[in-house]
Amino acid sequence: KAHQNWFAVAYAHFVACYRVKDSSGWQLVFTSPYIDATIERIAINSKVNMSTAEPIPSKMVAISYGSQIRLWSIHEGGNKTDIGIFNLNVRVEFLFFIGSQLVALSSSGKIGVWHAMTQHWQIQDLVPVLSFDSAGSFLLLGCNNGCIYYIDMQKFPLRMKDNDLLVTELYKDPNLDPITAISVYLTPKTSSICGNWIEIAYGTKSGIIRIIVQHPETAGHGPHLFETFTVHQSPVTKVMLSEKYLVSVCNEYHHVRTWSLTRFRGMLSTQPGSTPEASFKIVSLEATDSNYSYAAGNDFGPYGDYDEQIFVQKVVPETDQLYVRLASNGDRVCVIKSVDGSSITSFCVHECEVSSRMGSRFILTGHCNGNIQMWDLTTALALFPKKEENHAQKINGGPDTNELLRLLDQCEISNSLCSTPCMSPCFSALGNMANTTIARMKASNLALLNQSFQQNSPSLLSQYQQPPSSNPIHHRGFGGNISE
């Protein structure tokens, strides 16, 4: 995870923090003590004001394992202060900073907040939370009762009668459909949700996407329903609302639908209204035995605030390459391939003016050998429109059939434990390499693979299903993985 000119790297049992300066480049400034449990979540904030008497903001790093959260303050020179160890009482699923406040969240509806000024840890039970987003100092929660709630993290208001967090209902879905994804867009003229110009897109369990808005002419009233989209047939898992596009993803093989938006004087307009832009899939196969931190360290996006949004596609769990694609239409921007051939175990996208010699958007990749590699996304996006692109690349922003076959060479995609039938390399083909491990794919991935092969090249599918001896396995170990 990264914030401004700092980024934190979580290994299995410790955390390291790096800082960049124009004069010296990236430098290691902090290493945590050894943590007995496996680290599952990480958060960093490079500018936390812990008191009005402190002229220099502190740097805060938090980790979680199980229900435990551990928090440090890092000072100039790398000295650290242990802030404390907190317990959410349930497993922490999301850990992040909003302003100076640390938030731990569980989908069961339990939320924990650490306030920097008071250094107070508060836990509260809410209805089960299925999605969340932040807008300025506000945390918005999409819940399974069809309501959107918000909490002001800057004021940290507590109800006088019971000292609980002040949770306010913002909007209720007309069908009371569980809200599984949410995205807030603050226009350049609005700095917080308290302003009179706010737009929210959310997706539901039934696959419906709605946009609700509050514009200057509706000030004094809550957000009202602006537009509804009914294109997905599965629950919506991600949604992103930006100045130019609405992007949504459902859980049917990460199916993406996008729309271009029409604005008049900055506000969403119905004349001519939104226009369907693209429909594509982000193929991302999951291993049956992946660790708990895998999803947090390998989230495909979309990423981007006001600039061009992108997806980062990691096709199989053990791979040395990532596909960077435009979120608006799925076109391939570039392919990132590990410079040393090591497997990519985690990645993140960061936007920051860290140096006058580098761009402002980066992709950081963590590798199975403990290395970190940094990629210039600004230049890739700048060069993308100028490249000569063939027709196949525009259609297949992700891997084509040949690329997919090469990636699958190192995976066991059959859900059969016997040698026949065998749809991919099996252990019998390894000979004396009995200790070699293979990423075994979930059975639910097979339907997607068969569908992709049949659409692209049936002949290649039959070639791929030959006896296992014709498909060598390329394995890379996972010692010292970077988990997030």
Side-chain angles (χ1 to χ4, degrees), residues 57 171 177 185 324 437:
Y171 185 80
D177 206 4
Y185 175 69
V324 180
T437 60

Side-chain angles (χ1 to χ4, degrees), residues 301-342:
Y303 294 98
D305 294 326
Y306 295 100
D307 295 328
E308 185 80 62
Q309 281 82 30
I310 62 165
F311 286 112
V312 180
Q313 181 178 4
K314 185 179 181 183
V315 182
V316 294
E318 293 188 32
T319 181
D320 63 349
Q321 60 188 44
L322 302 173
Y323 292 81
V324 180
R325 305 174 62 178
L326 294 181
S328 57
N329 54 22
D331 282 356
R332 183 189 301 185
V333 176
C334 62
V335 178
I336 290 174
K337 192 166 185 178
S338 172
V339 294
D340 56 4
S342 59

Side-chain angles (χ1 to χ4, degrees), residues 74-231:
I74 305 173
H75 310 285
E76 292 296 327
N79 297 324
K80 67 175 178 65
T81 301
D82 285 300
I83 302 299
I85 300 176
F86 313 106
N87 196 335
L88 190 62
N89 301 324
V90 295
R91 194 172 200 171
V92 177
E93 297 179 38
F94 302 98
L95 188 68
F96 52 93
F97 283 93
I98 295 183
S100 297
Q101 280 57 261
L102 175 67
V103 180
L105 193 61
S106 168
S107 61
S108 64
K110 195 175 288 288
I111 180 173
V113 180
W114 179 83
H115 193 270
M117 298 296 284
T118 62
Q119 300 197 19
H120 176 66
W121 172 253
Q122 178 99 17
I123 300 178
Q124 186 164 328
D125 290 315
L126 305 172
V127 296
V129 177
L130 304 182
S131 58
F132 69 92
D133 195 14
S134 60
S137 63
F138 283 76
L139 172 64
L140 282 85
L141 305 171
C143 300
N144 74 340
N145 62 354
C147 293
I148 298 175
Y149 300 92
Y150 71 89
I151 304 172
D152 187 348
M153 291 297 174
Q154 185 174 7
K155 297 179 181 177
F156 203 69
L158 302 176
R159 296 192 305 189
M160 296 183 65
K161 64 176 183 178
D162 53 12
N163 211 36
D164 275 354
L165 286 172
L166 183 59
V167 181
T168 306
E169 181 180 310
L170 181 67
Y171 185 80
K172 182 180 293 185
D173 182 74
N175 300 331
L176 299 181
D177 206 4
I179 297 172
T180 53
I182 187 170
S183 172
V184 183
Y185 175 69
L186 296 178
T187 67
K189 299 179 181 179
T190 307
S191 59
S192 77
I193 197 174
C194 281
N196 56 9
W197 197 331
I198 183 173
E199 301 166 355
I200 299 173
Y202 70 88
T204 67
K205 188 176 181 180
S206 64
I208 296 175
I209 302 159
R210 302 186 195 273
I211 297 179
I212 58 176
V213 299
Q214 180 174 291
H215 286 152
E217 59 267 26
T218 62
H221 302 278
H224 67 274
L225 181 61
F226 180 80
E227 199 165 0
T228 300
F229 304 86
T230 54
V231 293

